[in-house]
Amino acid sequence: MTALVPSTFSEDEADAGRAFWQRIQAELRAAHGEDIYTSWFERIEFEGLAGTVVVLSTPTPFIRHWTQNNYGPEILQRFRKLDSSLTEVRFKVRGALRPKAAQQPGATAPNRAGPAPQASPAPHRQADTPVPTSSNLSGGLEGSPLETRYTFHNLVEGPSNALAVAAAKKVADAQPGDRVPYNPLFISAAVGLGKTHLLQAIANSVRTANPHRRVLYLTAEYFMYRFVQAIRNKSTLSFKDVLREIDILIIDDLQFLNGTKVHEEFGHTLTTLVDSQRQVVIAADRAPNDLDGLEPRVRSRLGGGLLVELDVPDYSMRRHILEHRIAAQKEIFDQLVFPDEVVDFVARSVTTNGRDLDGAVNRLVAHNQLTSTPIDLKMAEIALRDLLKARETRRPKIEDIQRVTSQHFGVSRQDLVSARRTRVIVRPRQIAMYLSKTLTPRSLPEIGRRFGNRDHTTVLHAVRKVEEMIDRDPQVAEDIETLKRLLDQ
Ligand code: ADP
Ligand code: MG
């Protein structure tokens, strides 16, 4: 079978496709676990689109053969969930066919295939059935699919999200002609803390309670992808027109927006909508200031709205989230018994986020259904072992390090990344840089950038300096130990 691979793709098109593939890789990792992910999916790259055919490349014929046979349908289904017009996923082996590969930033060297992957068991597993987008309220532009269970009703409120939920409800309840309260509303939080749930709750609520208002929910990848497609079909005008016709534009995972032209387009859309009193709601895994590639005017627009951070749920929220998920499972398996002490055990031990809580419930129910073992503490400890282990080895992010360090030393996070050079700030900043280098996989230049655009040599200097201080000054050594402990929770 010869692949219909065009020789070149536009940069934006490649960016959009890569972003799709990145998301699907993350889904595959979550669905199949780390071992299978690294064996099969990690080194697959997105090559381009040939009409409605997605072209992916693998480093070796063996990986190609295996993934195509065992995971081909699932991968296609996941692509189709993002764009239902796609018809096929084709795999090819990287090599001579790919003259530009070496120049692509972030591409792994094509011939560094490494050892053959272990033949991990490859369950024939169907991807979750996509929820089709039903509404065409947005004048022809389909949004990304909405999950019916992502409603306000199913959303547990608590100290970590109270402000965000209040703002989201206000946005959802606004009537035409009302003053737009917070525009744009920007929600930032780490993965699994409920951004997508909150955003889709707004969309679902508007669709049921205010059906005359045009609401459009798009992931950033989808936004890019549609934009690129519109360019290809020479219909950018109508894409813009559609976007500018809507009352509430919701964009999820803005950190995936990529490409200069796409950013420009996003900037236009944002400005136009906000200027004409239309609501924009955005979520990302970090605050606007930490996002790459935003135009300055976009950054300042975002700064002019309301920025709310979602935090980690406390014990009582975790319990409620679990209760919701268990109730949903009981509707599917009506004989299901899920003892209270196990709910309590999970709520106490899975402390990271809603996604891990979901994962824990799914895991316990699957064990129960497949092996007929009753759900009890002993079974839970075994079934959740690796989830609990994953928590122990969780790596902190630079944001976490900055937050914890600035709290510990009583300086503001702003100061930490500012140009100020007073001693009270320089020391905590150096320590935060040191922790970023030692606890995260980030590079020196990247760390420098995240600390107020400093040079990588400054970071290097900080790391050396702190290493020296740890040896000389017991107080510094103790501070570092405390910070590490705080970051470990
Ligand atoms: P994010 O988009 O921030 O990565 P999601 O919205 O996908 O997170 O949430 C992950 C899972 O956790 C979802 O199943 C979601 O329903 C659940 N979840 C997270 N926070 C809450 C909450 N406050 N109440 C109910 N469920 C939640
Ligand atoms: Mg999300």
Side-chain angles (χ1 to χ4, degrees):
M1 200 191 335
T2 36
L4 276 172
V5 192
S7 51
T8 52
F9 304 102
S10 80
E11 261 315 297
D12 281 339
E13 193 169 57
D15 279 342
R18 265 197 290 273
F20 264 22
W21 176 236
Q22 250 177 33
R23 163 168 292 242
I24 292 172
Q25 279 183 310
E27 290 174 6
L28 290 166
R29 179 185 234 141
H32 297 283
E34 202 59 35
D35 286 349
I36 291 184
Y37 174 78
T38 40
S39 299
W40 306 112
F41 307 125
E42 188 170 40
R43 288 177 300 151
I44 297 182
E45 287 174 20
F46 175 84
E47 290 287 322
L49 272 180
T52 59
V53 178
V54 178
V55 183
L56 300 176
S57 70
T58 64
T60 66
F62 179 58
I63 295 188
R64 170 186 152 181
H65 181 77
W66 186 272
T67 35
Q68 187 159 17
N69 288 341
N70 292 285
Y71 301 101
E74 175 182 343
I75 292 175
L76 173 62
Q77 208 171 3
R78 291 188 187 275
F79 269 104
R80 285 177 51 81
K81 214 164 142 182
L82 298 170
D83 177 2
S84 56
S85 73
L86 296 170
T87 55
E88 191 186 336
V89 173
R90 215 168 274 176
F91 294 82
K92 66 190 197 79
V93 182
R94 278 196 286 284
L97 268 174
R98 197 166 171 252
K100 283 174 64 185
Q103 297 157 20
Q104 276 180 18
T108 44
N111 291 324
R112 229 188 43 215
Q118 299 155 8
S120 325
H124 283 268
R125 201 196 124 108
Q126 290 297 304
D128 299 339
T129 327
V131 183
T133 315
S134 50
S135 161
N136 233 348
L137 283 169
S138 339
L141 186 68
E142 250 186 48
S144 305
L146 292 181
E147 196 79 53
T148 43
R149 75 176 178 87
Y150 285 168
T151 59
F152 283 121
H153 176 74
N154 287 333
L155 187 71
V156 175
E157 291 187 50
S160 63
N161 67 0
L163 183 60
V165 176
K169 284 185 173 164
K170 193 121 193 156
V171 163
D173 292 344
Q175 295 299 317
D178 282 0
R179 238 189 91 250
V180 177
Y182 318 108
N183 211 8
L185 171 61
F186 194 106
I187 310 284
S188 75
V191 68
L193 293 180
K195 301 182 293 295
T196 298
H197 191 140
L198 189 64
L199 260 47
Q200 294 199 8
I202 299 177
N204 278 320
S205 155
V206 172
R207 281 189 184 169
T208 45
N210 276 319
H212 50 282
R213 300 191 74 200
R214 284 155 304 182
V215 60
L216 185 64
Y217 168 88
L218 297 172
T219 63
E221 298 105 314
Y222 204 79
F223 178 89
M224 283 162 74
Y225 186 70
R226 282 290 169 228
F227 176 60
V228 170
Q229 226 178 25
I231 293 183
R232 187 147 33 102
N233 304 335
K234 309 212 180 351
S235 58
T236 28
L237 254 185
S238 66
F239 175 71
K240 284 180 192 172
D241 294 343
V242 168
L243 281 184
R244 288 160 199 191
E245 278 299 297
I246 55 196
D247 298 311
I248 308 179
L249 174 65
I250 305 177
I251 299 204
D252 201 354
D253 284 329
L254 190 69
Q255 73 274 8
F256 289 131
L257 204 70
N258 195 344
T260 320
K261 281 213 208 82
V262 171
H263 269 288
E264 240 167 58
E265 179 61 20
F266 170 69
H268 287 310
T269 307
L270 180 74
T271 317
T272 314
L273 288 175
V274 173
D275 283 349
S276 56
Q277 299 287 302
R278 253 55 87 63
Q279 180 73 50
V280 179
V281 183
I282 295 171
D285 68 354
R286 57 202 97 156
N289 271 337
D290 297 328
L291 280 170
D292 285 327
L294 287 189
E295 298 184 337
R297 67 183 169 127
V298 171
R299 233 181 268 277
S300 93
R301 277 287 161 156
L302 296 176
L306 178 66
L307 169 62
V308 198
E309 212 172 319
L310 299 175
D311 218 328
V312 181
D314 60 17
Y315 168 77
S316 140
M317 283 178 78
R318 298 200 296 271
R319 250 200 99 105
H320 281 112
I321 294 175
L322 286 170
E323 279 160 9
H324 271 272
R325 304 300 295 139
I326 293 165
Q329 293 287 347
K330 282 189 175 157
E331 281 183 13
I332 308 172
F333 306 104
D334 50 7
Q335 309 289 325
L336 186 71
V337 179
F338 208 118
D340 211 48
E341 58 175 9
V342 180
V343 182
D344 185 69
F345 168 73
V346 179
R348 283 192 195 289
S349 43
V350 179
T351 56
T352 41
N353 60 50
R355 182 159 309 164
D356 288 347
L357 291 170
D358 281 359
V361 172
N362 291 343
R363 190 91 61 92
L364 293 176
V365 173
H367 264 248
N368 171 252
Q369 296 297 314
L370 297 173
T371 66
S372 306
T373 319
I375 298 180
D376 58 19
L377 282 177
K378 188 162 145 257
M379 186 260 234
E381 266 171 35
I382 296 169
L384 302 181
R385 199 162 28 199
D386 60 321
L387 246 185
L388 305 177
K389 199 171 119 226
R391 182 168 63 100
E392 282 157 23
T393 57
R394 191 172 68 100
R395 275 198 290 228
K397 294 200 290 200
I398 293 183
E399 289 94 278
D400 303 327
I401 294 173
Q402 290 177 338
R403 180 172 41 84
V404 168
T405 313
S406 57
Q407 276 165 5
H408 180 74
F409 289 106
V411 300
S412 74
R413 220 195 114 207
Q414 231 73 16
D415 278 338
L416 215 57
V417 302
S418 72
R420 294 185 56 193
R421 301 242 193 122
T422 48
R423 204 183 128 78
V424 277
I425 290 160
V426 169
R427 173 72 57 87
R429 182 185 294 138
Q430 287 178 329
I431 288 179
M433 286 179 173
Y434 165 84
L435 291 170
S436 302
K437 185 61 206 150
T438 48
L439 302 180
T440 78
R442 303 281 158 237
S443 66
L444 293 171
E446 160 93 18
I447 295 171
R449 214 179 48 71
R450 302 289 292 279
F451 281 83
N453 266 328
R454 289 182 152 76
D455 194 73
H456 73 278
T457 52
T458 312
V459 183
L460 189 60
H461 172 73
V463 173
R464 299 227 166 104
K465 180 92 195 162
V466 174
E467 280 169 351
E468 236 176 74
M469 289 190 296
I470 292 175
D471 289 340
R472 269 192 297 109
D473 185 343
Q475 180 58 50
V476 173
E478 198 187 310
D479 281 338
I480 303 262
E481 276 318 302
T482 310
L483 288 168
K484 281 188 178 165
R485 257 201 316 280
L486 287 170
L487 285 163
D488 216 30
Q489 285 175 353

